């Protein structure tokens, strides 16, 4: 089963300094039929104006992954972490029993574009934690690059972020005419999100920029780029 969600059908929010597109119910957008996909609860596509951002606010019992697409994100939290992340870096925060954090675009001239994703943890009551990792952007052209994993055997210090859930996140940049193949284990879910370009899935479905697909019971996915593209793939229970 492959369910397509087009970019233009996402809920749009515009606060001037913040423009967001929500793939799942969030904030002012509520749809009881679009609450989550497996443990995936939020996929927000955000644009933040220079020198703007979110002040200190609380989170609890959620795994939060941020992918910066353009610009510089500054994070501070109540457990003592301060970090900056840009393209090529991943930010993972386990809210666990509770913490406060802030996120700002620290550039005075350049806007900030990012994806923020929330996942339900496999277990509750965890001690809050935070990490940043950096992946090899050049490797994205060669195939699907693992950037986040709940499997300790696949986690690489500084390269693959950990997460308290049975899941993985990959990024890839297939070039025009090339294909990347992903084989899922039986019974797993897959979410595809096209960041840039155009991707054909298994030769019969076309996804354009910011389109997504929620997939179940498809073990092999052949992703073919009609133009130079960038895609995110999330493997979920």
């Amino acid at each position: 089963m492959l369910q397509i969600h087009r970019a233009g059908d996402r809920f749009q929010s515009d606060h001037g300094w913040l423009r967001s597109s929500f793939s799942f119910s969030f904030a002012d957008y509520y749809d009881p039929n679009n609450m989550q996909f497996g443990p995936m609860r939020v996929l927000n596509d955000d644009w933040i104006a220079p020198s703007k951002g979110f002040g200190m606010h609380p989170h609890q019992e959620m795994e939060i992954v941020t992918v910066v697409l353009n610009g510089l994100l500054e994070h501070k939290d109540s457990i003592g972490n301060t970090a900056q992340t840009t393209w090529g870096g991943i930010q993972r925060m386990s809210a666990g029993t509770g913490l406060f954090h802030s996120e700002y675009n620290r550039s005075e001239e350049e806007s900030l574009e990012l994806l923020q994703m929330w996942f339900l943890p496999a277990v509750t009551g965890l001690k809050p934690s935070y990490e940043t990792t950096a992946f090899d952007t050049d490797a994205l052209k060669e195939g699907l690059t693992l950037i986040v994993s709940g499997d300790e055997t696949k986690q690489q210090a500084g390269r693959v972020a950990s997460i308290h859930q049975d899941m993985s996140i990959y990024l890839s940049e297939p070039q025009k005419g090339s294909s990347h193949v992903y084989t899922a284990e039986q019974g797993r879910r897959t979410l595809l999100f096209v960041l840039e370009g155009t991707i054909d899935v298994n030769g019969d479905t076309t996804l354009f920029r910011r389109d997504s697909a929620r997939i179940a019971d498809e073990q092999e996915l052949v992703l073919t780029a009609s133009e130079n593209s960038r895609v995110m793939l999330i493997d979920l229970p």
Side-chain angles (χ1 to χ4, degrees), residues 209-226:
R209 184 181 186 274
R210 293 315 204 255
D211 286 351
S212 64
R214 302 177 195 180
I215 304 166
D217 301 321
E218 291 277 350
Q219 287 189 265
E220 184 172 88
L221 299 174
V222 181
L223 311 179
T224 303
S226 301

Side-chain angles (χ1 to χ4, degrees), residues 8-42:
D9 294 334
R10 297 176 298 173
F11 182 85
Q12 308 293 318
S13 174
D14 189 343
H15 297 279
W17 65 272
L18 169 68
R19 298 198 298 265
S20 300
S21 298
F22 302 152
S23 293
F24 296 92
S25 289
F26 185 84
D28 295 334
Y29 166 51
Y30 175 72
D31 179 351
N33 297 314
N34 190 28
M35 296 300 296
Q36 63 190 84
F37 184 58
M40 188 169 192
R41 178 63 189 84
V42 167

Side-chain angles (χ1 to χ4, degrees), residues 24-209:
F24 296 92
S25 289
F26 185 84
D28 295 334
Y29 166 51
Y30 175 72
D31 179 351
N33 297 314
N34 190 28
M35 296 300 296
Q36 63 190 84
F37 184 58
M40 188 169 192
R41 178 63 189 84
V42 167
L43 171 53
N44 290 354
D45 186 358
D46 292 342
W47 176 95
I48 300 172
S51 302
K52 299 294 184 179
F54 303 93
M56 280 287 181
H57 59 281
H59 288 288
Q60 189 172 5
E61 302 299 358
M62 197 66 67
E63 300 289 298
I64 301 175
V65 176
T66 305
V67 180
V68 176
L69 303 175
N70 185 64
L72 183 66
L73 170 69
E74 182 180 81
H75 164 99
K76 293 183 179 180
D77 62 45
S78 58
I79 57 175
N81 297 294
T82 299
Q84 293 186 337
T85 308
T86 187
W87 169 244
I90 299 297
Q91 173 179 279
R92 188 273 305 165
M93 184 175 73
S94 296
T97 54
L99 83 169
F100 288 77
H101 81 134
S102 64
E103 293 183 312
Y104 276 93
N105 178 1
R106 279 308 177 197
S107 172
E108 296 181 356
E109 299 177 352
E110 187 178 22
S111 60
L112 171 64
E113 298 175 49
L114 57 84
L115 301 179
Q116 187 164 102
M117 296 170 282
W118 296 9
F119 303 90
L120 300 171
V123 294
T124 57
L126 296 168
K127 180 181 178 180
S129 63
Y130 174 85
E131 71 174 323
T132 57
T133 56
F135 58 89
D136 182 359
T137 57
D138 291 334
L140 302 185
K141 294 180 174 62
E142 300 170 7
L144 291 160
T145 298
L146 181 66
I147 60 169
V148 178
S149 178
D151 185 344
E152 292 184 1
T153 65
K154 296 179 180 179
Q155 295 165 9
Q156 303 172 30
R159 285 292 187 183
V160 179
S162 60
I163 194 166
H164 298 100
Q165 182 54 266
D166 176 22
M167 57 167 287
S168 300
I169 303 177
Y170 300 84
L171 287 174
S172 177
E173 290 184 342
Q175 301 299 284
K176 182 178 180 179
S178 68
S179 296
H180 294 166
V181 179
Y182 179 75
T183 302
E185 295 181 11
Q186 189 170 3
R188 303 287 293 182
R189 295 178 174 95
T190 306
L191 184 136
L192 290 177
F193 188 73
V194 177
L195 297 169
E196 301 292 342
T198 305
I199 297 290
D200 291 324
V201 183
N202 290 349
D204 56 14
T205 301
T206 301
L207 301 178
F208 303 97
R209 184 181 186 274

